[in-house]
Amino acid sequence: MLPARLPGESLFSRISRGHAISGLTESQYLETVLGNGRLRVHPFLSANIGVIASLNTESKKGLIRHQTLSPLFAYFLPQHHDLLYSSQSSLQQVTRACQFSAWRGNKVLSVKSCPLCLCEDIREHGVSYWHVIHQIPGVEACYKHGVWLCYHPLSGRSHLNEAPFLFAKSEGVTPCSQTAMNFAKFAKRRFNDIKKSPSESTGDYLECLEKSGFVTSARSIRIKELVSQLTDICVDILPIDSPYMPPLSRENQYWSSVLHGKYSQPPFKHLVLEFLLNRDKGTHASPPTIMPVTQTDNIETHCLALLEQGLSLSEVGRQILKSRCYVKGVAMKFGINHHLKPKKITQAIQERIKALAYKGFHRKAIAEALGLSTGSVEMIISATEGLVDWRKQCRFESKKRRYKCQILRFTQSHPNAIRQDIKKHCEAAFFWLYQHRREWLNVNLPAANKTVHVDRVDWAERDTGLSLRVSALLLKHEIASRTELDRILGSHGWLFAKKDRLPKTMNILKQFKLI
């Protein structure tokens, strides 16, 4: 009861065409094709394939691989690979695994078609139909004709209430952007590659990001630059009301999950990321040249060159992959003021900040005195040639004087203190001076005490004296155990740990039966 498959046709389109020409009601036709009149058919996911294949004598793998988008979802959701390729999976299991309802938001389930493709299909095959490649979520353009796809909402429980050839209309054809068409071509090529190698799965993107210059020398991702370019692509390829459009307030969160491999993510995010990393320089705008972070002079020189060309601060920041504040600081450092339109931080305020900074005032105190933010004060200090080094030197000298004074006051108030006492009570000062002013510290610390030599123990002599003492105690007192005797002797533990060195004492203990 299923009509023969036309080039690129989806399984849902075949079932819809079969229902349109069968003359049966929906339940009767589904009973014939699916074996149950209450089962449903999804526009691009595979479900109940085993029943369809057995009743229509077709290959299960062929139906799944070439007439549905299950290979695409299985590739980017490897944890559900077996379920999506299983011919026994129900529609509820498949939609729950793909989480398509969560990604689609409140959008009504629809199919997409290219109006020019519909006309071509009628001209070549006598009937229009839905192409499986057009149903890829997030692909809004036709890879062949470069026009925006049309949405056709599906109503009814089984979605078979209307036939596809009813939508073969060419009016309202709107050319799409070049980026949208290129993305559609990339998605088609990627889908075909996945169908050829279904066992493979997506891996870690870190290596690809590193080759494209989106990873720093410290192995961290340049998330701001990457998210900015991904969002620009989405703006070019998606309508403004698309559920796949990244929310402005959570752009970083929207992309971080797919970057770090967390949670299940829709294939659209993977496709956009791969499109950015693999797009050809001949047909796509090449990403900004990313300079190594260590080449500060080259970045600064490049920044100056772009500023002199008249580019805005934001545009310069995007091209050198630095923040707008960095570009603004470079402009202030070299006196390029035609980009700056200050309302509060005027030239007089800048001179006031520099004067207070040279005197050693803390940036927070300067900010509070002038009613500015500490970041603004710090930016002006950093942009002033030599001011940062001067403040570092002032802080070093201040700390040196403070720690020296602390050591001298302690030695004057504790004339009998030894070096260990100073180290204990003036720990921070001691170790800072030890690292930076060791000669001064050695001169001003008390003279080190000479090491007192302790002779080794003469165990023979100790055994003789201890045996006489033990004998006297045992004769005078009634001692029940060796532990009690050791406690009386001072709890040294000799009678246990050093018994091999005390033979005379051990003989006495044997006589009194304490061993």
Side-chain angles (χ1 to χ4, degrees):
M1 292 297 293
L2 277 179
R5 181 175 182 256
L6 298 175
E9 186 178 13
S10 67
L11 177 62
F12 178 71
S13 177
R14 293 179 61 193
I15 295 176
S16 298
R17 285 199 300 118
H19 170 243
I21 62 178
S22 66
L24 302 176
T25 63
E26 289 183 20
S27 58
Q28 292 173 340
Y29 184 74
L30 292 175
E31 181 73 31
T32 304
V33 177
L34 302 178
N36 188 338
R38 295 185 59 82
L39 293 181
R40 291 187 297 167
V41 183
H42 197 275
F44 52 80
L45 295 177
S46 61
N48 307 306
I49 295 296
V51 178
I52 298 175
S54 61
L55 293 178
N56 296 274
T57 62
E58 295 194 32
S59 169
K60 301 175 183 177
K61 292 183 179 180
L63 289 175
I64 295 174
R65 185 173 297 181
H66 300 291
Q67 301 180 40
T68 71
L69 293 181
S70 288
L72 182 72
F73 281 84
Y75 180 85
F76 292 112
L77 300 173
Q79 65 272 32
H80 302 302
H81 180 276
D82 295 339
L83 176 65
L84 293 171
Y85 271 103
S86 173
S87 60
Q88 306 301 323
S89 301
S90 65
L91 182 60
Q92 290 79 7
Q93 292 175 319
V94 172
T95 53
R96 190 182 301 114
C98 296
Q99 300 182 9
F100 185 68
S101 58
W103 296 333
R104 193 177 66 244
N106 297 325
K107 291 289 184 179
V108 178
L109 186 62
S110 307
V111 289
K112 295 178 289 185
S113 65
C114 169
L116 298 183
C117 286
L118 292 179
C119 295
E120 268 190 13
D121 295 337
I122 293 176
R123 185 168 58 251
E124 295 180 7
H125 307 288
V127 64
S128 63
Y129 57 91
W130 288 314
H131 295 247
V132 65
I133 199 67
H134 288 159
Q135 313 310 319
I136 298 178
V139 175
E140 303 292 334
C142 177
Y143 69 92
K144 187 176 181 180
H145 297 102
V147 298
W148 294 113
L149 299 177
C150 298
Y151 274 83
H152 309 288
L154 298 176
S155 60
R157 186 176 182 279
S158 62
H159 312 315
L160 299 180
N161 54 338
E162 296 185 65
F165 56 83
L166 297 179
F167 305 119
K169 300 176 182 180
S170 59
E171 59 266 24
V173 176
T174 307
C176 66
S177 64
Q178 185 63 40
T179 305
M181 184 175 181
N182 292 332
F183 178 69
K185 290 180 179 179
F186 173 81
K188 177 181 181 295
R189 183 170 64 252
R190 195 74 179 90
F191 182 47
N192 291 334
D193 293 341
I194 291 173
K195 289 192 295 183
K196 294 177 183 178
S197 304
S199 59
E200 299 180 4
S201 61
T202 181
D204 188 8
Y205 289 113
L206 186 60
E207 184 177 352
C208 296
L209 290 171
E210 187 174 8
K211 291 180 180 179
S212 299
F214 288 108
V215 178
T216 66
S217 57
R219 305 289 294 173
S220 59
I221 299 176
R222 304 178 197 270
I223 189 68
K224 289 185 178 179
E225 291 74 23
L226 180 60
V227 167
S228 175
Q229 295 194 34
L230 291 172
T231 303
D232 291 343
I233 292 176
C234 290
V235 171
D236 290 338
I237 67 176
L238 294 175
I240 193 64
D241 60 342
S242 173
Y244 295 101
M245 182 68 72
L248 295 177
S249 59
R250 295 187 293 108
E251 286 183 345
N252 289 1
Q253 182 181 353
Y254 182 86
W255 295 107
S256 62
S257 297
V258 68
L259 290 175
H260 300 289
K262 294 182 179 179
Y263 318 114
S264 298
Q265 298 299 314
F268 168 74
K269 292 186 181 182
H270 293 275
L271 290 174
V272 173
L273 180 58
E274 292 183 0
F275 174 67
L276 172 63
L277 298 177
N278 296 282
R279 58 184 177 180
D280 298 329
K281 294 184 178 180
T283 56
H284 303 285
S286 59
T289 303
I290 301 172
M291 298 182 177
V293 180
T294 55
Q295 298 180 357
T296 307
D297 295 338
N298 293 340
I299 295 178
E300 195 171 86
T301 304
H302 190 200
C303 179
L304 283 173
L306 294 175
L307 287 172
E308 292 174 355
Q309 293 176 13
L311 298 179
S312 66
L313 300 179
S314 299
E315 180 62 26
V316 174
R318 281 192 291 269
Q319 293 203 24
I320 66 174
L321 300 183
K322 289 288 187 178
S323 66
R324 187 179 183 276
C325 291
Y326 172 84
V327 180
K328 186 177 180 181
V330 173
M332 294 175 60
K333 180 178 179 180
F334 291 92
I336 303 177
N337 298 321
H338 59 274
H339 288 278
L340 309 176
K341 298 178 181 179
K343 295 181 180 179
K344 194 169 185 179
I345 308 177
T346 60
Q347 189 64 32
I349 293 295
Q350 293 184 31
E351 296 301 326
R352 178 64 174 161
I353 292 174
K354 294 176 185 179
L356 293 174
Y358 270 113
K359 293 180 180 180
F361 284 92
H362 194 276
R363 58 181 178 273
K364 186 175 181 181
I366 300 174
E368 291 177 354
L370 301 178
L372 303 174
S373 66
T374 55
S376 299
V377 174
E378 183 62 33
M379 181 179 64
I380 295 173
I381 292 174
S382 301
T384 305
E385 187 71 28
L387 182 53
V388 174
D389 294 334
W390 166 257
R391 288 170 62 84
K392 286 183 178 179
Q393 183 65 26
C394 291
R395 184 177 181 182
F396 179 86
E397 296 295 334
S398 176
K399 184 178 289 189
K400 181 183 68 174
R401 291 193 299 269
R402 184 171 69 252
Y403 283 160
K404 284 183 177 181
C405 183
Q406 186 176 347
I407 294 291
L408 292 175
R409 285 179 177 176
F410 186 84
T411 55
Q412 291 174 3
S413 59
H414 301 82
N416 297 324
I418 62 175
R419 293 193 174 199
Q420 289 297 326
D421 295 334
I422 298 175
K423 182 179 177 181
K424 178 180 178 181
H425 293 87
C426 307
E427 184 177 359
F430 181 91
F431 284 105
W432 191 91
L433 292 170
Y434 182 82
Q435 183 177 3
H436 298 94
R437 291 295 182 268
R438 188 174 304 181
E439 294 181 1
W440 182 94
L441 184 64
N442 291 331
V443 171
N444 290 273
L445 285 177
N449 295 332
K450 292 184 179 181
T451 304
V452 179
H453 177 70
V454 179
D455 295 330
R456 299 183 65 180
V457 178
D458 188 345
W459 285 101
E461 182 181 351
R462 177 172 290 182
D463 185 24
T464 302
L466 188 60
S467 62
L468 296 175
R469 188 178 176 189
V470 168
S471 178
L473 288 172
L474 293 175
L475 291 173
K476 187 176 181 180
H477 303 284
E478 185 176 349
I479 300 175
S481 66
R482 200 175 3 155
T483 303
E484 184 180 355
L485 177 61
D486 181 71
R487 181 177 55 79
I488 296 173
L489 292 173
S491 300
H492 301 294
W494 297 333
L495 302 181
F496 298 93
K498 304 296 182 181
K499 60 183 180 179
D500 295 337
R501 295 177 176 268
L502 305 170
K504 295 180 180 180
T505 305
M506 293 299 106
N507 289 333
I508 294 175
L509 294 179
K510 287 180 181 179
Q511 294 175 10
F512 285 88
K513 298 182 179 180
L514 292 180
I515 296 180

